Amino acid sequence: MYPIFSSHGIVLQLPCESGKDVIATFFTEQMLPNLIKNIEKYRPKTGTRGTKILIDNPSSHTAKLTKNFLDVEGLELLPHPSYSPDLAPCDFWLFPKLKIYLQVKDFNTLQALGTGMYQYFKSIPEEEYRNVFYKWVERLKLCVSAGGDYFE
């Protein structure tokens, strides 16, 4: 499952094929078009205009195909340093919370897992989603003050 969230909560969660990496074609043909539909749903007057997105740096996210798609759609990709889980909100906030939740659950199918994850994401209060972006900015400041070195 591939979750995408904003300061208001979970925006989108799409299943990925088991055992397969997210490649640029899947990202640009499935993930990003669905993300745009969701943005336009929640922002009917402005759509994607002025939208900035943060994604980590796997090759599918930084591929020319992805960058071209984002340019055409008018989405601004915020820069993100490679190999920096301490600066990725999914890595420092969402996934650790999800791991704790999943440790006490038992899902029999991938579909049940996906449904359970989505319900969990929806149960997180909006304030927590909003606060993670403040924490992200603080982590960015720590990174700058540490000269780009790793910190905890």
Side-chain angles (χ1 to χ4, degrees):
M1 298 295 155
Y2 197 103
I4 298 175
F5 66 93
S6 74
S7 61
H8 301 289
I10 192 75
V11 173
L12 178 65
Q13 175 184 304
L14 285 178
C16 300
E17 244 183 274
S18 181
K20 290 202 172 182
D21 290 333
V22 174
I23 59 171
T25 52
F26 174 81
F27 198 65
T28 56
E29 293 174 6
Q30 300 286 321
M31 294 295 298
L32 292 175
N34 278 295
L35 174 61
I36 289 168
K37 285 180 194 172
N38 275 278
I39 292 170
E40 290 170 342
K41 176 180 163 187
Y42 290 101
R43 298 176 64 186
K45 291 183 180 178
T46 59
T48 60
R49 188 177 63 235
T51 301
K52 296 172 178 60
I53 61 172
L54 172 70
I55 50 180
D56 51 7
N57 286 320
S59 59
S60 60
H61 298 174
T62 58
K64 188 174 183 176
L65 181 65
T66 300
K67 289 180 178 182
N68 289 343
F69 181 91
L70 293 171
D71 286 344
V72 167
E73 295 297 330
L75 293 169
E76 182 182 344
L77 181 60
L78 295 173
H80 181 74
S82 298
Y83 308 107
S84 299
D86 49 330
L87 298 178
C90 277
D91 291 333
F92 74 75
W93 177 73
L94 187 63
F95 294 153
K97 289 176 75 68
L98 179 63
K99 182 178 178 182
I100 292 167
Y101 168 77
L102 292 175
Q103 285 175 340
V104 297
K105 299 291 181 184
D106 187 26
F107 299 102
N108 296 326
T109 66
L110 285 176
Q111 184 175 357
L113 171 63
T115 300
M117 288 173 59
Y118 188 76
Q119 289 171 343
Y120 175 70
F121 295 147
K122 292 296 267 183
S123 76
I124 299 171
E126 183 176 325
E127 184 178 341
E128 285 191 46
Y129 282 101
R130 193 172 30 257
N131 286 339
V132 76
F133 287 95
Y134 294 120
K135 291 176 187 172
W136 174 60
V137 170
E138 290 304 313
R139 286 172 169 265
L140 292 172
K141 289 177 183 176
L142 280 171
C143 181
V144 169
S145 67
D149 290 336
Y150 179 79
F151 61 91
E152 292 209 30

